[in-house]
Amino acid sequence: MSSAPPKSPGIRSSPLSAAGRSLFGSPPTSAGSAAPRPAQLTEERGVLAEAAASLETLREQVQALEARLKDELRPRLKEASLASGVPRRRLEELQSALKELCAARARAAEEVGSLSKKKLSEIRGLMRSPPEAVKRTLAAVWLLLHSSRFE
């Protein structure tokens, strides 16, 4: 003798669906009985109690995760985003300095390219034997910079 009601072909029968039918007034699955049996109600109450306990456990887990997010993860994320700002600004500064240097190099290359052969030979000649005033000035500067050697 089975305590479960006979199954109808179109209706699913589970303890939870039976509990729903008894709560919302749907007709029971067995054609002959007008009210649910006490054993069936006890089973449905057990299923509902399990579902409520499971729901409460999930709520506690969600609260724990939200607390961890608030206390642990958000401050760390804020610190990380602030810390990443310093290298980013330094990177932008270096990139702008590099662009300026590239532009200056291009201008210098254009100026060197515009020198004639005559001007280049004049510069080479001055490097081999500079004028006497330039030699004296360089000697005086060297003496001033290295005067500690002669004390």
Side-chain angles (χ1 to χ4, degrees):
M1 190 148 118
S2 172
S3 65
K7 295 182 180 179
S8 300
I11 300 175
R12 290 178 52 195
S13 179
S14 73
L16 195 53
S17 64
R21 282 191 301 278
S22 67
L23 287 175
F24 296 112
S26 298
T29 57
S30 63
S33 66
R37 295 183 183 155
Q40 186 181 8
L41 288 176
T42 305
E43 182 181 339
E44 291 171 359
R45 285 186 189 125
V47 169
L48 289 174
E50 280 182 33
S54 176
L55 179 64
E56 188 60 34
T57 302
L58 288 174
R59 283 184 180 153
E60 289 172 359
Q61 289 175 350
V62 166
Q63 287 176 349
L65 288 173
E66 286 176 345
R68 181 174 176 226
L69 176 68
K70 180 182 175 187
D71 297 338
E72 225 178 282
L73 300 176
R74 282 193 179 145
R76 289 175 56 191
L77 178 63
K78 186 177 180 181
E79 290 173 10
S81 65
L82 290 175
S84 70
V86 173
R88 190 171 294 139
R89 283 191 299 271
R90 180 72 175 139
L91 175 67
E92 290 170 359
E93 291 171 3
L94 291 174
Q95 285 176 339
S96 66
L98 183 61
K99 286 180 184 177
E100 291 172 11
L101 288 173
C102 287
R105 182 189 166 277
R107 286 190 304 271
E110 287 176 14
E111 290 177 11
V112 168
S114 68
L115 291 176
S116 65
K117 288 186 177 185
K118 184 178 178 185
K119 289 181 181 179
L120 285 175
S121 65
E122 185 180 342
I123 292 171
R124 285 186 193 124
L126 288 175
M127 286 176 47
R128 289 185 193 124
S129 60
E132 194 59 36
V134 173
K135 286 181 183 178
R136 278 190 242 138
T137 305
L138 288 175
V141 169
W142 187 88
L143 286 172
L144 286 173
L145 292 174
H146 297 93
S147 62
S148 62
R149 290 184 180 181
F150 302 109
E151 291 180 358

